[in-house]
Amino acid sequence: MNRTLIAALLGSAMAAPLAAEIRIGHVYGQTGALEAYAAQSHTGLMLGLEYATNGTMEIDGEPIKVLEYDTQLDPARGRAMLAEAYGDDDVHIAVGPVSSGVALAMLPVAEEYERILIVEPAVADSITGANWNRYIFRTGRNSSQDAISNAVALGEEGVAIATLAQDYAFGRDGVTAFAEALEGTGADLVHQEFVPTDTTDFTAAAERIFQAMGEVEAERKMIFVIWAGGGNPMGALNAMDPSRFGVEIATGGNILPALVAYKDLPGLEGATYYYYDIPQNEVNDWLVEAHFDRFDTPPDFFTAGGMAAGIAAVEAIRAAGTHEDTEALIETMEGMTWETPKGPMTFRPEDHQAMQSMYHFRIEARDDVDWGVPVLVREIGASDMDVPVRN
């Protein structure tokens, strides 16, 4: 081939515009105590992108590229990773993280770079509350939604409740929201216990709770547990036989490995974000079938959340007609309703929190299932929960 032809071909290649690329950054704790949550979240995100694009991984002919960043559950590192995603890698929309503490550190970075951050699955109220900015959208439920749905499920006249929670943003926000949500239900919150996140010996905390409960006259007494990660506080509490004090254990839903401990607590009640057999809709049907086909297991708590975030990103870009104009994306996403494995979600315009259903459940122990099965008592719709705007 002569030099003239080579030069012509090179010039033509250089003149041809590069294909546009939609870059989505997943900034999440791949390593650390919550890595099981993180793995589910990433699987769900990828399945959501696949589902929403009918398997093409393209939006209007433009390919989607997903870049991953490991926060290692360190707030400072999470902040640095998000800055790298927006600044060095020109990510258009970021998703994550797992930890509420990491999320709070990341929020100002989204504002600094004026890029969208879809928070999934960190739950602290302050993310869409006191620390919120207009670039933050959350598909995951917040502490108030957890708390209010559990208050709807458990709260009634003649009920006394004590709480046991982890001593950080997730636990403290959860208890604050739960206490607020119980007001007007007739139930009384009589005691609060906060313990370190890595606690494995719950004896002292449980004894303080039992003592407080012993001083209360009530038709029904409960310890409501707000917990994330390891430690198995419910198993530890159950081993201390709270029934001798007339006390039941109650809690919200959790991932399948954690539900193994629920099998020893048939009849336990609470409200959950997701259990694969509860929602009845086309998106969840697809997710359950795809997950069984590929992994030979059902999708879990945070798989559904990751999928909701992936679908939201695709629907927002498609509806806005752009992945680069952040203002157009914000305008599109405020009030946007889209279908998820849980049914429809809507980004509330005031704080960009996703309004969504929760599920009142009661645990059944089944011989052919390794974990306690959350059986639906009733769906708690978004309209059934008065979720406060806290920003």
Side-chain angles (χ1 to χ4, degrees):
M1 187 178 292
N2 63 45
R3 293 181 179 178
T4 303
L5 181 55
I6 292 173
L9 289 172
L10 288 173
S12 175
M14 293 174 64
L18 295 173
E21 185 177 74
I22 301 167
R23 287 179 293 282
I24 295 176
H26 196 190
V27 186
Y28 66 120
Q30 299 171 38
T31 53
L34 303 181
E35 61 186 57
Y37 298 177
Q40 291 179 20
S41 182
H42 188 70
T43 295
L45 173 64
M46 300 307 293
L47 288 172
L49 296 173
E50 177 184 341
Y51 178 86
T53 61
N54 294 315
T56 66
M57 294 299 281
E58 295 182 350
I59 304 174
D60 297 331
E62 298 178 344
I64 298 171
K65 182 177 181 179
V66 177
L67 294 84
E68 298 181 55
Y69 308 84
D70 185 6
T71 70
Q72 299 177 8
L73 297 185
D74 176 27
R77 181 176 171 84
R79 187 166 55 244
M81 290 293 95
L82 187 59
E84 178 181 323
Y86 290 142
D88 296 342
D89 297 334
D90 196 24
V91 160
H92 303 108
I93 293 178
V95 179
V98 179
S99 161
S100 292
V102 176
L104 291 169
M106 288 167 54
L107 304 186
V109 180
E111 186 172 34
E112 177 185 351
Y113 283 88
E114 298 183 344
R115 299 283 176 95
I116 299 292
L117 171 61
I118 298 177
V119 174
E120 173 66 46
V123 303
D125 271 347
S126 46
I127 293 168
T128 43
N131 296 84
W132 176 83
N133 64 69
R134 62 192 296 269
Y135 301 96
I136 307 306
F137 289 80
R138 176 157 50 187
T139 51
R141 87 285 187 202
N142 65 14
S143 293
S144 286
Q145 287 166 315
D146 265 349
I148 293 168
S149 59
N150 277 286
V152 170
L154 304 174
E156 59 184 1
E157 199 72 39
V159 173
I161 301 177
T163 58
L164 173 65
Q166 289 160 307
D167 193 8
Y168 80 117
F170 167 73
R172 289 197 170 272
D173 280 10
V175 170
T176 298
F178 183 67
E180 183 178 293
L182 279 180
E183 295 177 5
T185 67
D188 293 318
L189 182 59
V190 298
H191 186 78
Q192 300 177 21
E193 280 289 331
F194 295 96
V195 297
T197 58
D198 58 354
T199 297
T200 56
D201 184 353
F202 297 90
T203 305
E207 288 178 350
R208 288 191 293 269
I209 292 173
F210 295 148
Q211 181 178 351
M213 285 298 202
E215 299 171 357
V216 174
E217 293 292 331
E219 297 174 13
R220 192 178 182 190
K221 300 179 182 181
M222 300 181 186
I223 304 172
F224 180 62
V225 180
I226 300 176
W227 201 265
N232 190 14
M234 291 188 302
L237 291 172
N238 195 43
M240 298 176 70
D241 190 16
S243 62
R244 61 196 168 103
F245 302 102
V247 176
E248 306 172 42
I249 299 173
T251 191
N254 213 317
I255 62 174
L256 296 178
L259 291 183
V260 172
Y262 289 41
K263 192 169 183 177
D264 294 329
L265 297 161
L268 176 147
E269 291 187 49
T272 189
Y273 168 80
Y274 177 81
Y275 179 69
Y276 76 95
D277 204 32
I278 290 179
Q280 303 297 313
N281 59 70
E282 291 182 3
V283 182
N284 194 53
D285 290 346
W286 184 93
L287 170 60
V288 172
E289 182 178 357
H291 207 277
F292 269 111
D293 285 347
R294 299 178 197 190
F295 306 106
D296 200 29
T297 61
D300 212 340
F301 215 75
F302 298 106
T303 320
M307 187 174 185
I311 297 172
V314 173
E315 293 298 330
I317 292 169
R318 185 178 286 140
T322 178
H323 57 274
E324 296 179 311
D325 187 340
T326 300
E327 290 302 316
L329 287 169
I330 291 174
E331 183 177 352
T332 297
M333 294 172 75
E334 287 184 340
M336 182 180 84
T337 298
W338 74 104
E339 294 299 323
T340 81
K342 296 181 60 182
M345 290 187 185
T346 301
F347 282 128
R348 183 164 59 181
E350 293 86 349
D351 61 358
H352 304 171
Q353 174 61 48
M355 298 292 101
Q356 56 194 281
S357 290
M358 302 287 278
Y359 308 102
H360 178 187
F361 69 87
R362 183 177 294 112
I363 290 295
E364 286 187 3
R366 299 177 182 172
D367 292 339
D368 59 341
V369 182
D370 292 337
W371 53 82
V373 177
V375 175
L376 181 67
V377 176
R378 73 180 180 99
E379 181 172 341
I380 303 171
S383 61
D384 298 320
M385 295 178 283
D386 185 13
V387 181
V389 177
R390 299 185 186 277
N391 63 351

